[in-house]
Amino acid sequence: ANALHIYNFPSHRIVQILEDVAQSLDFPAQFIHSIRCIQIHYPKLHAGENVSTRHATSLVMPGKGTLDLGRIQEVHNIYRAVVRDEIKAGAASVKLVDVMRRRATYSARLDYVLGTLQTFILCGTSFGGSILDMAVSGALGLLVLIFHRATSKTQLSKSGTV
């Protein structure tokens, strides 16, 4: 659930994926997903207890991530392998921790360079802009990237109000 939420997996699929994994592991759980958190409700079983005589436990996982399509694909592949019984849950958990601990593919500086080039080229090729238009577009694209990176680290963007 944490890996799906950190990399902003499509929200309409998160609950279904979590239910599929819980079902394949024979683990009775209920999931509620909102924009910024996932609530997991599961039984707290002790030795010798059955599901009907359980005490429930809830876990709320606040969201804190950004969109990373490469890691979403890796998380999805791990999910599919667990549901198809190709790997055990313990091995999948280790793989998910590895995915979440890995550093970003691109550095911030390279993100800025690629974003600026993207807006520069897009202006010229898609909108027929002149060299001056392309330069202004590249500068404004860089400014948007800087503001996006700065605001994604603030509490305001994590509160669900932005």
Side-chain angles (χ1 to χ4, degrees), residues 41-130:
H41 186 76
Y42 59 93
K44 185 186 240 183
L45 296 174
H46 299 288
E49 283 187 320
N50 63 22
V51 176
S52 63
T53 62
R54 67 180 186 247
H55 299 287
T57 303
S58 290
L59 174 66
V60 177
M61 301 176 64
K64 58 182 177 184
T66 60
L67 181 64
D68 189 338
L69 296 177
R71 292 190 192 194
I72 286 176
Q73 180 65 35
E74 289 179 53
V75 170
H76 183 70
N77 289 340
I78 294 168
Y79 146 74
R80 276 197 345 227
V82 168
V83 171
R84 294 177 180 174
D85 289 330
E86 295 170 1
I87 62 173
K88 301 284 183 194
S93 179
V94 169
K95 285 185 177 187
L96 287 174
V97 168
D98 289 342
V99 168
M100 291 188 289
R101 287 187 178 163
R102 194 173 338 132
R103 294 184 60 186
T105 306
Y106 303 112
S107 67
R109 184 175 291 170
L110 186 58
D111 276 346
Y112 291 146
V113 168
L114 292 175
T116 302
L117 282 173
Q118 180 182 5
T119 55
F120 181 86
I121 292 170
L122 184 68
C123 178
T125 57
S126 296
F127 302 110
S130 66

